[in-house]
Amino acid sequence: MATEADLDSILEQSWALDEDLSVLMNALPDPVTNRQAIVRGMATTSHSHYHSQRVLLEVGTTPTVLALVRLHYESVVRSLWYALGATDDWIDRMKLENSRENGEPVMGPPIDSMLDRLQEVAPPHISATLRALKDATWKPMNSFVHGGMYAILTGLADLNKPDQWIGMLKNANGLAAMNTQALIISCNDPSTAGMLAALQRKHLKCFPT
């Protein structure tokens, strides 16, 4: 059974990982193509979701932390799909001048379709991990976002113990690494080879086992 001290340790390790991932992301080349710009924008937003989960956990706004799990997960899937799965035609149509009346361009396919596509084009461990995480957490994630029973119960009492928070943090760290990988893939810069793997080895203890 994990303790509060164990949770504090994972939080500290996660902050250190966040800092290293941020440095790596900021060191990557600026986007020069539409695809690279789209991935950069999504990856940056995704990293903000990742960062915010720990900020909110530390100040105690735990229902919002749990709602952010859905935003973080979906943004990582989209970062990878934009980098690897979206066709050139779709990327070309994803422009502000093609926006519809509500201000959004043509959106991508549903999450399940993106995951199916990533199964075809992404490294096997990435698509398998994303699918397993969705299967395990999608219903509670939707409940928090849409005001369902999980959101109600968490508003009445914080039922999550250090074990659950540690699991959430480790999953978030794994997603953040995938998000960074999407950005690296889109940059297509040979000089970045091995950088992310080195960071993962450095912070091994704060990733899912």
Side-chain angles (χ1 to χ4, degrees), residues 101-119:
E101 291 181 3
N102 64 357
E104 283 287 353
V106 177
M107 297 296 290
I111 286 293
D112 279 328
S113 296
M114 290 186 182
L115 292 174
D116 289 342
R117 176 62 176 155
L118 289 174
Q119 188 173 353

Side-chain angles (χ1 to χ4, degrees), residues 34 38 81 87-100 104-109:
N34 287 337
I38 290 169
W81 186 78
T87 64
D88 290 340
D89 178 66
W90 189 91
I91 291 294
D92 187 58
R93 288 185 289 120
M94 183 63 173
K95 297 177 180 177
L96 290 179
E97 58 264 33
N98 293 333
S99 297
R100 294 181 175 180
E104 283 287 353
V106 177
M107 297 296 290

Side-chain angles (χ1 to χ4, degrees), residues 1 4 25 32 40 44 61 87-88 93 97 118 121 134 137 140-141 145 150 156 168 175 206:
M1 186 71 68
E4 291 292 337
M25 291 172 69
V32 295
R40 169 66 76 172
T44 301
T61 52
T87 64
D88 290 340
R93 288 185 289 120
E97 58 264 33
L118 289 174
V121 297
K134 178 180 181 293
T137 64
M141 283 196 290
V145 170
Y150 285 93
L156 294 171
M168 186 211 75
L175 287 171
C206 67

